């Protein structure tokens, strides 16, 4: 069996280089890989392209990465009301930002995961989101072409992994995590519990081990609203 | 001139709640729509959807009862009702775009006479802005209701001939519930269905840029 | 609460009209809505467009529908080695057939489910599958445009439903069923067990009730290979 | 002229099994590929994928042990190994197309010198034909191996300059394992990696339409 379990948070992210494209799971304070983000921040990885629903809550979640100036570009749907470190850098032009409708963000990642090359949607037609995108009519409806979002890494949070990398999530902490696990070339998951292979019933697996490349144990971290 | 009393935000939510029906799958957006759950008519079971992968949200969690892995799209700890289900964000938006939700209620900055919606960005505002799930929700719900004040704080109409705020979606709004009126977007144009208590159709039209269609007598809202 | 439970198999399919477009779940003998198919056959619904991975096993599964001449067009990936009733009608020109690669069949249904209008894929490029389809180059790769597959009804099989329509499936009997439930306008499910609302833990639900419109209890039927 | 002995179908499977490695995620197609699981080198754990939504298939079920809700893509009752998972058919093919499978092994009617594969339909055959999962699998696996006889029953070459059978996919094959040879598809062309025991490179080339690249001495397959 491949050994996927990293000995520490630092070891789990040790090979992530400057300039990496990284997806970060989490929504609404739940399901963020906060321990991995802290480790990445400590390592000082730079020039990251971050793909995430939002841009941090003050120093929490992705906030610390913006505070430290580690992110050069972000693809997100909703930076959020407390993404002050992001907004400061954005105002100075130190971070660029592509805003994507939330469901389209999911679909563009899933398109990458599924080996497809693009899709047509009515979402965003006639809005700022459509600028620069191919528009056409299909089935009598105006639609725009959306392209896949790929990433070198996904940093995600799950509740439980078996030693092979099969994952389960707790309640709404699931959110973006299973999609990003499928979409990135290399997925690193922090989990609160690692169980032996076979401990998760096959029908209960949410993210099959094929999508998970490294596992690290971490006590869940959470940042207040 | 002192204006007559308009509906409060809570009253707008209360009127909008009357648009829901038993067994409906419903998404509530930020702002006034988020107040609607508090005014659900008694005996109605509605399955509230959240973009982060919940169907069947119940009331907000009480102090001490909060589970921060179970939050709504506004990050508020919630509860689940029997029959709830959990899924990932892509499936949550498959529901919004795919026509699976019976009703979605969003806030609005402007609605045009064709039902275009602007609700995510104020022109000239600083910062990046943020879209969230609004564009997906606007694109696919069976019925889209917008709840908003009828006019800006400066008195400018928000129901306009054509939106000049950045758009959320084209021809997506079905019904507008404001502090002055209930208005349906129809192929013929905007139909004034109800006015706020004490307001006439003419008074509502005077505060609306778009032309309203007034069919016979327009009843006043009932907010029992 | 909406009453979704039909009193009988006949009642469950009573309103399906001639000419309906119907998706049928099942793969490899598992997860077929065989009781519903038998009822549909008995009712004599005609001119059906059937969307299904295969075309029956002798009289079993969809076979009886072809035997009775109830299907005019089929969209499938692999009719199967024992689809003799389909092949007879096909040879006589009484049934037309669109062959679709199996994963693309899934994606085209999912595209309908997700409210999208089409997608680009490399699958089928340069093959018979590409005939008549738009071809272009994206990201340096030849790809073809695939369009959504919609349906009026999905007839599916699950193991368990709660009274609201939340579903779970047994092992590989899951296969196409959850995708079709999402894609069709109206989904009718036969289940071996109906449990009270709340009996299925929210995290264990595979098909949320929003996708299920009618439920009927039926003892699982299975046809030999 | 009596030909020398070629590999049996089982021996082709046995040689192909040597291409698998510990921890690999692998899909096996109809025909010879389906025999490979029986020849897995000892001590290797391979996670077999099935298009109907299984990862981690184990051996076939023994008589009396069959569960007909747990079948492979050939409808054969199978078992699960520890760490297996179950998912729906769309996710199963997200894996095939999306580059998630390490190795896929398919049967073949013809392979061209560029690695085009024809494996789903014989020209002029009656009936509808059937594609199944082959086109998705051919499009996305990290490594695609084709197992087949080197020649048709009539002696015609199946490794050809250009396929004249209906295609499954363009430039998708990485390695061909036949009853005469192991051949790699490279940017330079088809490289003869091994021959069957007792066969020379010249003899293999004589039975191959496409040009084979022979780099120094070509070893013979080891089928211990």
């Amino acid at each position: 069996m491949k050994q996927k379990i990293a000995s520490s948070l630092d070891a789990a992210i040790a090979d992530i280089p400057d300039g990496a494209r990284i997806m970060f799971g989490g929504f609404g304070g739940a399901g963020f890989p906060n321990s991995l983000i802290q480790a990445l921040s400590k390592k000082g990885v730079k020039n990251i392209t971050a793909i995430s629903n939002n841009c941090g809550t003050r120093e929490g979640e992705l906030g610390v990465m913006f505070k430290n100036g580690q992110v050069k570009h972000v693809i997100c749907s909703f930076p959020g009301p407390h993404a002050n470190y992001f907004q400061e850098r954005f105002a100075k032009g130190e971070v660029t930002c592509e805003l994507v409708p939330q469901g389209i963000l999911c679909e563009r990642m899933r398109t990458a995961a599924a080996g497809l090359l693009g899709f047509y949607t009515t979402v965003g037609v006639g809005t700022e989101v459509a600028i620069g995108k191919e528009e056409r009519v299909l089935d009598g409806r105006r639609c725009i072409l959306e392209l896949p979002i790929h990433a070198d890494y996904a940093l995600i949070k799950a509740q439980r992994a078996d030693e092979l990398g099969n994952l389960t999530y707790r309640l709404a902490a699931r959110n973006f995590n299973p999609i990003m696990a499928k979409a990135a070339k290399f997925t690193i998951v922090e989990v609160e519990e690692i169980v032996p292979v076979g401990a998760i019933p096959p029908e209960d697996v949410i993210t099959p081990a094929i999508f998970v490349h490294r596992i690290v144990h971490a006590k869940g971290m959470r940042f207040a609203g | 001139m002192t204006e007559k009393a308009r509906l409060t935000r809570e009253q707008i939510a209360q009127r909008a709640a009357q648009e829901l029906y038993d067994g409906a799958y419903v998404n509530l957006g930020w702002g006034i729509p988020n107040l609607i759950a508090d005014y659900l008519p008694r005996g109605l079971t509605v399955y509230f959807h959240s973009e982060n992968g919940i169907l069947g949200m119940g009331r907000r969690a009480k102090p001490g009862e909060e589970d921060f892995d179970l939050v709504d799209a506004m990050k508020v700890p919630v509860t689940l009702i029997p029959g709830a289900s959990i899924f990932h964000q892509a499936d949550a938006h498959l529901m919004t775009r795919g026509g699976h939700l019976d009703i979605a209620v969003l806030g609005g900055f402007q609605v045009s006479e064709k039902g275009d919606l602007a609700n995510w960005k104020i022109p000239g505002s600083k910062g990046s802005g943020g879209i969230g799930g609004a564009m997906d929700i606007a694109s696919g719900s069976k019925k889209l209701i917008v709840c908003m004040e009828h006019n800006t704080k400066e008195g400018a109409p928000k129901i306009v001939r054509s939106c000049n705020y950045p758009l959320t979606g084209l021809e997506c709004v079905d019904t507008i519930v404001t502090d002055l009126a209930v208005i349906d977007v129809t192929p013929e144009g905007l139909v004034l269905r109800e006015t706020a208590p004490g307001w006439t159709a003419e008074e509502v039209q005077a505060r609306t840029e778009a032309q309203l269609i007034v069919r016979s007598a327009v009843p006043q809202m009932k907010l029992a």
Side-chain angles (χ1 to χ4, degrees), chain B residues 143-173:
Chain B
K143 179 170 184 171
L144 178 63
I145 300 173
V146 170
C147 287
M148 62 181 188
E149 280 92 11
H150 205 89
N151 299 91
T152 66
K153 280 175 191 156
E154 296 74 28
K158 297 174 71 172
I159 301 173
V160 293
R161 278 192 285 272
S162 177
C163 298
N164 54 18
Y165 277 40
L167 286 171
T168 304
L170 297 176
E171 302 184 21
C172 53
V173 179

Side-chain angles (χ1 to χ4, degrees), chain A residues 28 77 87 102-103 170 172 175, chain B residues 67 69 89 93 128 131-132 136:
Chain A
S77 106
Q87 294 292 1
Q102 193 179 96
R170 198 164 167 275
N175 57 63
Chain B
D67 181 334
D69 281 340
Q89 206 108 5
H93 279 295
S128 64
I131 297 168
D136 296 274

Side-chain angles (χ1 to χ4, degrees), chain B residues 5 23 32-33 35 43-44 57 72 74 93-94 96 119 131 149 160 168 180-181 187 209 214-215 222-223:
Chain B
I32 299 171
L35 305 172
L44 230 65
M57 281 192 299
D72 67 13
M74 293 86 196
H93 279 295
L94 179 150
T96 65
N119 86 340
I131 297 168
E149 280 92 11
V160 293
T168 304
L180 291 188
E209 182 190 291
V214 179
R215 292 181 175 148
K222 288 191 181 63
L223 297 167

Side-chain angles (χ1 to χ4, degrees), chain A:
Chain A
M1 196 174 80
K2 285 179 200 167
Q3 177 53 261
K4 293 185 182 175
I5 301 174
S7 56
S8 70
L9 287 159
D10 292 340
I13 55 95
D15 53 8
I16 299 184
D18 288 355
R21 282 174 70 91
I22 312 178
M23 294 172 174
F24 296 90
F27 182 98
F32 282 90
N34 284 319
S35 302
L36 287 169
I37 292 170
Q38 295 291 316
L40 204 58
S41 160
K42 197 174 79 177
K43 179 172 147 74
V45 178
K46 288 185 195 63
N47 291 321
I48 287 173
T49 293
I51 299 137
S52 169
N53 182 67
N54 61 29
C55 297
T57 299
R58 287 175 285 267
E59 289 194 23
E61 297 155 6
L62 272 189
V64 63
M65 304 284 290
F66 291 104
K67 185 181 179 193
N68 296 350
Q70 297 177 270
V71 182
K72 69 169 178 194
H73 181 60
V74 63
I75 302 172
C76 70
S77 106
F78 191 80
H82 302 299
N84 51 301
Y85 290 111
F86 159 73
Q87 294 292 1
E88 282 170 23
R89 301 263 177 198
F90 179 78
K92 290 185 199 163
E94 294 169 1
V95 177
T96 53
C97 174
E98 180 185 359
L99 282 183
V100 182
Q102 193 179 96
I104 299 306
L105 182 60
C106 296
E107 286 300 314
R108 289 178 62 189
M109 292 190 283
R110 188 184 175 281
T111 296
L116 303 174
L117 292 168
F119 63 89
Y120 287 106
T121 178
T122 59
V123 176
V125 168
T127 77
E128 290 184 12
V129 161
I131 295 171
K133 289 175 185 163
E134 175 188 314
E135 183 177 322
R136 68 188 289 177
V137 173
L138 282 175
D139 197 24
R141 301 165 76 190
R142 289 173 64 187
C143 56
I144 53 176
L145 176 62
E146 291 283 4
L147 301 176
I149 297 176
H150 294 273
D152 302 311
Y153 295 91
L155 265 50
I156 67 165
K157 161 79 165 66
Q159 182 190 19
R160 207 158 47 127
D162 70 16
E163 292 166 337
L164 196 60
N166 290 300
L167 305 182
T168 63
Y169 304 86
R170 198 164 167 275
L171 296 167
R174 189 181 302 189
N175 57 63
F176 282 89
N177 289 297
I179 308 155
M180 291 175 170
K182 290 172 178 163
K185 287 192 200 79
F186 195 96
T187 294
I188 306 173
V189 61
E190 66 167 90
V191 295
E192 296 182 34
E193 190 187 3
I194 299 176
V195 298
V197 174
I200 304 177
E203 292 170 327
D204 294 354
V205 170
I206 301 298
T207 296
I210 193 172
F211 299 120
V212 176
H213 305 91
R214 194 173 292 154
I215 306 160
V216 64
H217 180 267
K219 195 166 169 297
M221 275 179 80
R222 208 184 291 278
F223 293 92

Side-chain angles (χ1 to χ4, degrees), chain B residues 26-143:
Chain B
V26 178
N27 182 288
L28 301 179
W30 289 65
I32 299 171
N34 197 232
L35 305 172
I36 289 175
D38 294 334
Y39 296 96
L40 207 59
R42 265 189 179 279
L44 230 65
T45 302
V46 169
Y47 299 94
F48 288 112
H49 167 274
S50 186
E51 296 94 297
N52 51 337
I54 310 174
L55 202 58
M57 281 192 299
R59 59 170 174 74
R60 295 181 197 94
K62 293 175 188 162
E65 188 189 40
E66 301 98 334
D67 181 334
F68 290 94
D69 281 340
L70 188 62
V71 293
D72 67 13
M74 293 86 196
K75 212 169 167 172
V76 175
V78 294
T79 57
L80 297 177
I81 67 172
S85 53
I86 297 286
F87 34 88
H88 59 52
Q89 206 108 5
D91 272 352
H93 279 295
L94 179 150
M95 294 179 191
T96 65
R97 280 190 317 271
H100 304 283
L101 294 179
D102 295 308
I103 298 173
V105 192
L106 293 174
F109 295 146
Q110 290 183 327
V111 177
S112 82
E113 61 188 7
K114 287 188 171 173
D116 298 348
L117 171 65
N119 86 340
W120 70 279
K121 194 178 181 181
I122 295 170
S125 62
K126 285 183 186 172
S128 64
I131 297 168
M135 288 191 186
D136 296 274
I137 292 168
S139 79
S141 302
K142 286 189 191 122
K143 179 170 184 171

